[in-house]
Amino acid sequence: MSELFDAVDALLASRATLPPPAERKRLRQAHALTVDEVASALKVRRATVTSWESGRTEPRPPERDAYARLLDGLAQLYPAPAGNPGPDEDPVAGAVPAPAEDAPVPETFTGAPAPAQARVTVTKKPSEAAVTTAPEPASPPAVRTSSTSRRPGAKKAAPAATRAGGTDPRFENGPLAVVDVEDGKVLAYCTGGLVLDVPAKSLPSLVDWTLKEAKLGAPKLSGPGKDADPLIVLTEAACERYGLPVTLTEEEKHAGRIPEGHKVIKQLARAEWKLTKRGFGPWARIYRPATGSERACVQLCIPSWNALDTRHWGTAGQLPPAELARVLGVYASRVMTPRGSTAVTGLELMTALHPPTRASEPDADGKRHSEHNPGSLGKDAIDPMNWPPCEVPDGHPVLKDVPRFHVRGPAEKLFEEAYDWARPMTDAECTLRHLVGIDVNMAFAAGANGLPVGLGEATHVKAPVFDPKLPGSWLVDLSHVDLSRVKVGKEWVELDGSLLPSPFTPKGERPEGPAWYATPTVAYAVELGYEVRPVEAWVRYDNGRYLDGWYNRLRDAYLATMADLGVDADLSPEDFLAAMDGYKDRDPELGIVITAIKATVKGGLGKLRERPRGEGWRPGEPWRALSRPTWRPDIRAAVISRTRMNLHRKIVKHAAFTGQYPIAVLSDCVVYAANGPSPLDFLPYREGKPLPGGFKLGINPGLVKHEGTQDVLWGEEVRERFNAPELNLARYIKDGTVTDADNGE
């Protein structure tokens, strides 16, 4: 009989009455409970509780019984304020004044509740969908959802910092929307969980709707800059709805666009919309020429056309619309609205923070004019023929008279690249048990911080006196710098120079004569205690810290996202290592954002020296990127130079203090032999404080994290297998996987 009673109780519990979603959240917050605490008690995911509180999903047995019991207990402790709807009342009734008899009936947006202080509704007329808002009570009631609301079980769309409803009413629905088709309806998933009905029947009308009604976009990042254009992401279903192919053919992939005669492009042309020179590809820009200060431009992103490269965006392209809106929304709010690949966005961020022009002071007639914005790279690119020959890559127009198969050596070409160096292990190192890799966080971003770079063209100087504050390229012989005896601070120290990479070449080899170096490299030679006498130089007297704002923006984005993943900047070394263990698994979507931020740094710097991309280019001819003011290989070289010097400085200080030398260095990863598997087994810490100027564990750019640990026997076996005693083990230290393809076999 008791089993029957239990079954009846279960049936009653399955229909347990629950308060409306907003009341559920109020009760939890009244008792100072976090979403994580409730999720842990009910043994469900954090996102599940969030969905219950937003009204996107409803709890099911057996969790529903326990959840109802929790809410009943909280309701007795914290009764609802007067005026709050009860569990059987319509949570929307009374929230919006009744319309006049001749007014159209308002229909609430589908999806999650609108941002605090405002409920968004849409008023449909025969020709438009006007967005209106109504005041919210102190405890906002839930918004009624329709059958086209968010998918059951979906995570919240974005953290509070990226919710729609910012201070700028023009962009109250956020910077972007993911457009999808569900049950025959076209929906736009915005940040903050907002879902909009899309009335557009064609792509031209979708562009019109985006600009006139969607309230999408983002404010400019600097005073003289421009507001960010809205981004529309089209899912596969949306591509089909608007007449676009779901995937590109091999020919279209190679061209990077669909054919000019495609019917959708013809539709856009008839509606007087234009495409940029790159055509209609994975990242298409659709615009009309600006009239005054008014811009009419929409950016399209099509993930199924490989717009979101898996190397930089992971599985973002396969996420459901709401989750994809969250990932892109967090990135857009903390970095900027994507303008293309992470590399393109990294470069665009530089320009957005330092626009080339600004409005002048009013003239005698009270009119303002466009003028150069101090501290920017200007609106005009450097004439290709005015580039120093040493700073440009092979095939550049300034080298058109160089024989085609001539290989330029160090005395002809500036070659500042990241480290790729390794050495055989000593007998003493072979007796240790582990190889431990440490990796510098955001190394190239840290290298850009505070770095003076040239803002204009270079001046050629013969037999110059070296100035460490003057950006440029210097032809100088550094072969006399002996790493066996160097200055560390103000003191000379003796080191085993054979166990150290040279700081002056990417392969760590000692230079053999005059070579071209960027300013940070030559300055480091002076810092080590050696005299330098440049033969000639190309220097830039007009210079400034152009990349500081870029670094600050990306640093803040990185640290904020890592904090969301549970890795804070003020953790102790032990707590930091524990927090970093599996940090991306805590929120895979934010893990994607972290990867994209890092790719934005490296890709943006790489774009400063963009090479030809097909288009029938031949050596000696100019290519498209040369027409950009941001084509600046000298700036890229300076950042890489400074990053490499920063790393070498830490290696030298570590060796001078501990007597330990690296086994391998790859870009920003350094491998040491140690008796234990943790970085704390070889990094010198005293009472929690690191070696001044050496490696320090932490999440800030320039500090280091644990990259991976392998056995010493693993390293010896790998090198023996490939008969390569100097195989760079830093390349494989993370997971220990080495394939024959990695070594050209």
Side-chain angles (χ1 to χ4, degrees):
M1 183 65 70
S2 61
E3 293 180 357
L4 292 177
F5 287 163
D6 290 342
V8 170
D9 289 343
L11 288 175
L12 292 173
S14 69
R15 301 296 187 270
T17 301
L18 299 174
E23 177 67 3
R24 303 169 196 174
K25 183 175 182 179
R26 186 194 71 81
L27 290 171
R28 173 180 61 77
Q29 293 177 336
H31 202 59
L33 294 174
T34 66
V35 174
D36 289 323
E37 288 174 326
V38 175
S40 177
L42 299 178
K43 293 181 171 53
V44 297
R45 295 188 309 141
R46 184 183 192 280
T48 301
V49 176
T50 304
S51 294
W52 294 346
E53 291 186 352
S54 66
R56 294 194 293 271
T57 61
E58 287 294 313
R60 299 180 180 179
E63 292 84 3
R64 187 182 180 95
D65 183 21
Y67 190 43
R69 183 182 181 88
L70 170 65
L71 295 175
D72 287 344
L74 293 175
Q76 295 177 17
L77 295 173
Y78 310 100
N84 267 22
D88 297 325
E89 298 177 32
D90 185 344
V92 178
V96 180
E101 292 183 1
D102 59 345
V105 178
E107 173 187 335
T108 59
F109 278 131
T110 61
Q117 308 306 321
R119 175 183 303 110
V120 184
T121 61
V122 61
T123 306
K124 293 189 175 181
K125 296 181 180 180
S127 60
E128 66 178 17
V131 178
T132 62
T133 60
E136 280 285 12
S139 263
V143 176
R144 176 183 291 141
T145 60
S146 72
S147 60
T148 56
S149 63
R150 289 168 52 96
R151 292 185 175 92
K155 294 182 182 179
K156 68 177 183 178
T162 62
R163 289 180 65 88
T167 56
D168 194 326
R170 298 172 301 159
F171 312 125
E172 65 180 29
N173 293 333
L176 56 90
V178 180
V179 175
D180 191 27
V181 180
E182 296 183 18
D183 300 327
K185 293 190 67 175
V186 182
L187 303 174
Y189 289 79
C190 306
T191 57
L194 183 68
V195 183
L196 309 178
D197 286 315
V198 180
K201 304 297 184 183
S202 65
L203 194 62
S205 60
L206 175 64
V207 175
D208 277 320
W209 173 82
T210 301
L211 292 171
K212 296 177 181 178
E213 302 173 24
K215 294 192 175 183
L216 296 174
K220 57 189 177 183
L221 296 180
S222 67
K226 299 175 181 177
D227 296 328
D229 299 318
L231 173 65
I232 295 294
V233 184
L234 299 178
T235 65
E236 294 184 8
C239 285
E240 291 182 335
R241 169 62 65 94
Y242 292 118
L244 293 168
V246 172
T247 58
L248 299 179
T249 65
E250 289 301 320
E251 183 178 352
E252 290 168 345
K253 289 179 182 177
H254 181 73
R257 65 182 75 186
I258 58 177
E260 295 294 329
H262 193 280
K263 63 179 182 180
V264 171
I265 296 181
K266 292 180 178 179
Q267 290 175 359
L268 292 169
R270 284 195 296 269
E272 298 183 343
W273 289 107
K274 298 180 179 293
L275 294 167
T276 59
K277 292 181 180 179
R278 292 202 178 274
F280 203 124
W283 290 92
R285 294 186 67 75
I286 302 173
Y287 72 98
R288 285 183 181 138
T291 55
S293 61
E294 293 296 322
R295 288 165 57 84
C297 183
V298 172
Q299 176 84 56
L300 291 187
C301 168
I302 306 179
S304 62
W305 294 8
N306 198 34
L308 301 175
D309 192 321
T310 55
R311 294 172 298 174
H312 310 140
W313 288 101
T315 59
Q318 286 75 52
L319 291 174
E323 282 71 8
L324 180 55
R326 181 196 181 208
V327 168
L328 295 177
V330 172
Y331 179 90
S333 68
R334 293 178 176 175
V335 180
M336 70 178 298
T337 306
R339 296 285 301 273
S341 66
T342 50
V344 169
T345 303
L347 196 68
E348 292 286 345
L349 180 61
M350 297 179 195
T351 303
L353 293 168
H354 279 289
T357 60
R358 68 178 184 182
S360 67
E361 293 297 324
D363 59 17
D365 298 326
K367 294 183 179 180
R368 296 179 183 268
H369 307 276
S370 177
E371 66 177 13
H372 172 67
N373 183 28
S376 74
L377 297 182
K379 65 178 181 178
D380 299 319
I382 295 175
D383 186 329
M385 302 312 293
N386 286 344
W387 273 98
C390 63
E391 292 182 346
V392 299
D394 294 339
H396 189 275
V398 81
L399 303 175
K400 64 180 181 179
D401 295 329
V402 175
R404 182 174 180 183
F405 297 104
H406 173 70
V407 178
R408 293 187 294 160
E412 301 172 277
K413 179 181 179 180
L414 178 68
F415 192 66
E416 297 284 11
E417 298 295 340
Y419 264 131
D420 186 355
W421 170 88
R423 63 169 176 82
M425 284 186 274
T426 65
D427 292 342
E429 289 165 343
C430 288
T431 64
L432 302 177
R433 298 180 59 188
H434 301 284
L435 297 175
V436 184
I438 52 177
D439 180 79
V440 181
N441 297 314
M442 301 272 283
F444 294 100
N449 182 31
L451 176 67
V453 299
L455 301 178
E457 295 185 357
T459 301
H460 189 224
V461 183
K462 287 285 188 178
V465 176
F466 176 68
D467 182 352
K469 297 181 180 179
L470 190 58
S473 301
W474 310 78
L475 181 62
V476 59
D477 189 350
L478 299 180
S479 61
H480 63 292
V481 178
D482 183 5
L483 295 180
S484 297
R485 187 172 184 271
V486 298
K487 265 190 174 181
V488 177
K490 296 182 179 181
E491 297 182 359
W492 287 91
V493 298
E494 304 289 336
L495 300 172
D496 189 342
S498 66
L499 300 180
L500 287 170
S502 168
F504 309 126
T505 62
K507 290 292 184 180
E509 302 164 343
R510 188 167 179 168
E512 297 180 350
W516 285 100
Y517 301 102
T519 297
T521 303
V522 185
Y524 184 59
V526 175
E527 180 184 327
L528 292 176
Y530 290 86
E531 184 181 6
V532 297
R533 294 181 178 177
V535 178
E536 60 177 301
W538 290 89
V539 296
R540 290 172 170 84
Y541 296 107
D542 180 15
N543 58 73
R545 292 166 56 160
Y546 173 74
L547 294 173
D548 275 11
W550 183 80
Y551 161 78
N552 290 333
R553 180 82 177 174
L554 290 165
R555 175 204 60 196
D556 292 348
Y558 176 72
L559 292 180
T561 310
M562 290 301 294
D564 288 343
L565 288 165
V567 186
D568 295 312
D570 56 354
L571 295 173
S572 68
E574 295 81 5
D575 290 341
F576 169 70
L577 291 174
M580 286 295 294
D581 187 17
Y583 71 97
K584 288 186 178 180
D585 296 335
R586 295 176 200 136
D587 191 327
E589 292 168 13
L590 290 184
I592 293 173
V593 176
I594 283 292
T595 302
I597 292 172
K598 292 179 180 179
T600 304
V601 173
K602 291 187 176 181
L605 293 172
K607 274 281 185 181
L608 292 170
R609 198 191 67 163
E610 184 176 349
R611 302 299 303 276
R613 304 179 63 184
E615 301 175 349
W617 175 81
R618 294 182 179 181
E621 297 178 349
W623 57 91
R624 181 181 297 176
L626 299 186
S627 63
R628 293 194 318 247
T630 49
W631 192 83
R632 294 298 303 271
D634 58 306
I635 296 179
R636 172 187 177 274
V639 173
I640 294 175
S641 164
R642 190 162 187 245
T643 303
R644 200 174 70 244
M645 299 311 110
N646 287 345
L647 183 58
H648 196 274
R649 184 180 295 108
K650 290 181 172 63
I651 290 172
V652 166
K653 290 195 175 183
H654 184 85
F657 187 81
T658 67
Q660 298 169 335
Y661 296 84
I663 302 295
V665 185
L666 181 68
S667 187
D668 48 11
C669 176
V670 188
V671 176
Y672 285 90
N675 266 325
S678 167
L680 289 174
D681 292 314
F682 71 92
L683 292 182
Y685 271 82
R686 289 182 177 176
E687 299 178 354
K689 295 182 179 180
L691 172 68
F695 295 110
K696 178 183 178 181
L697 290 167
I699 198 58
N700 280 302
L703 306 188
V704 299
K705 63 179 181 293
H706 184 204
E707 178 69 4
T709 296
Q710 304 298 329
D711 295 335
V712 166
L713 291 177
W714 163 85
E716 288 295 277
E717 187 276 329
V718 167
R719 286 178 164 178
E720 183 177 346
R721 188 200 324 167
F722 295 106
N723 192 27
E726 296 183 2
L727 181 72
N728 196 328
L729 298 176
R731 183 172 281 108
Y732 317 107
I733 195 70
K734 189 167 189 175
D735 60 13
T737 302
V738 186
T739 65
D740 291 343
D742 291 330
N743 295 279
E745 298 186 13

